Amino acid sequence: FRKREEDLERRERQLREEQKRLEDARVYGDRVPNFPPIPAFFPCTPCVSHNIDFAIAPEHQLTVRRAFYHWQFTVFCYLFNFVVCFGMICALGTKAGSAFGLSLLYAGLFIPLSFLTWYRMLYNAVRTDSSLRYMLFFFFYGWHIVVVGIGALGVGGGGVAGWITAFKTMEENKALGVLGIIVSLAWCANCLIAVYLIMQIHKTYRTTGQSMEKASGEFAASAGSNRNVAQAVLRSL
């Protein structure tokens, strides 16, 4: 009897969850904002819908999932870089002030920008089969490769604990120098992963029939639609 009661409670719970999912799908069109995952007690709520299993075709899920893992690794690189630069200003004083300030700026600026400009762009390109979004992804992802490549060098005072900064720091503080070398290796790995992924995604781009002509057509259609909307608004005034 107890087991049957537990089964009934479990089915009721599943039914309530399914009803909630269907209601959310009715309201949001199966695109419920769920990212970033924020605890319920926080005053803010998730901003975007992110569900690779639901939104992305099975044959492309691995590619998008790898890009998502790469974005998470990029977040780790920026945060680890900030921690090392914070250690530098604690150990070396004001001479590391600019590096610390810039590392804070990079973490606060590039983490959300990297999500919006290249990962989210790829996610939506694959989800909607959009050549234009693929093109924008390649543009922004190419800049990401350049940025992390420069970060791996670690020009002094540039806010990135790359190779140059790491070896200079080693002369004054070996522990921080070792951490700087680890950050440098992380930036190098990030750059290599990005190069590999952009090659794989370009193959997907070619095999799915995307092209510059389709991207131009999508852009023209979007521009025309926006112009028509603007004209309709002006006529209504």
Side-chain angles (χ1 to χ4, degrees), residues 48-90:
V48 297
S49 171
H50 182 261
N51 190 334
I52 294 175
D53 293 327
F54 182 82
I56 305 301
E59 62 270 21
H60 302 311
Q61 288 180 7
L62 180 60
T63 299
V64 176
R65 207 177 301 278
R66 285 174 174 171
F68 183 59
Y69 293 153
H70 181 227
W71 176 76
Q72 291 178 314
F73 181 58
T74 299
V75 173
F76 165 79
C77 288
Y78 281 117
L79 293 179
F80 189 23
N81 178 74
F82 166 72
V83 170
V84 173
C85 289
F86 178 73
M88 287 180 180
I89 195 173
C90 291

Side-chain angles (χ1 to χ4, degrees), residues 1-232:
F1 179 77
R2 182 179 300 176
K3 184 177 180 182
R4 183 179 298 177
E5 186 175 323
E6 291 175 353
D7 288 340
L8 287 174
E9 290 177 355
R10 178 176 55 81
R11 290 177 183 178
E12 288 178 0
R13 186 168 59 254
Q14 291 176 344
L15 181 60
R16 287 194 299 269
E17 292 174 354
E18 181 65 16
Q19 288 175 339
K20 185 178 184 303
R21 190 191 71 80
L22 291 174
E23 179 63 19
D24 289 339
R26 184 184 67 81
V27 175
Y28 296 105
D30 283 337
R31 297 179 60 195
V32 182
N34 60 353
F35 192 88
I38 299 174
F41 58 84
F42 269 51
C44 51
T45 58
C47 304
V48 297
S49 171
H50 182 261
N51 190 334
I52 294 175
D53 293 327
F54 182 82
I56 305 301
E59 62 270 21
H60 302 311
Q61 288 180 7
L62 180 60
T63 299
V64 176
R65 207 177 301 278
R66 285 174 174 171
F68 183 59
Y69 293 153
H70 181 227
W71 176 76
Q72 291 178 314
F73 181 58
T74 299
V75 173
F76 165 79
C77 288
Y78 281 117
L79 293 179
F80 189 23
N81 178 74
F82 166 72
V83 170
V84 173
C85 289
F86 178 73
M88 287 180 180
I89 195 173
C90 291
L92 306 179
T94 55
K95 66 172 67 176
S98 62
F100 168 73
L102 287 172
S103 68
L104 178 60
L105 176 65
Y106 296 158
L109 183 64
F110 289 148
I111 287 176
L113 279 180
S114 61
F115 179 82
L116 293 173
T117 57
W118 57 261
Y119 172 69
R120 189 68 181 174
M121 196 64 67
L122 174 67
Y123 179 92
N124 285 328
V126 177
R127 182 178 64 84
T128 61
D129 194 32
S130 169
S131 292
L132 178 59
R133 284 173 170 157
Y134 268 110
M135 290 295 178
L136 291 172
F137 161 76
F138 287 129
F139 174 78
F140 288 117
Y141 203 51
W143 273 109
H144 170 75
I145 293 174
V146 172
V147 168
V148 296
I150 295 173
L153 292 176
V155 179
V160 183
W163 291 109
I164 297 174
T165 301
F167 285 120
K168 286 184 177 179
T169 305
M170 184 79 74
E171 299 172 358
E172 302 184 49
N173 190 303
K174 289 186 178 180
L176 282 175
V178 171
L179 289 176
I181 290 175
I182 296 174
V183 174
S184 305
L185 291 172
W187 286 122
C188 288
N190 195 310
C191 188
L192 292 175
I193 292 170
V195 171
Y196 169 78
L197 281 178
I198 200 170
M199 293 172 63
Q200 295 299 311
I201 293 166
H202 188 262
K203 290 180 181 179
T204 302
Y205 167 83
R206 296 296 296 273
T207 56
T208 53
Q210 310 300 331
S211 66
M212 181 69 75
E213 290 76 14
K214 286 184 65 177
S216 300
E218 289 175 17
F219 178 77
S222 176
S225 175
N226 292 337
R227 186 162 50 249
N228 291 336
V229 171
Q231 291 173 351

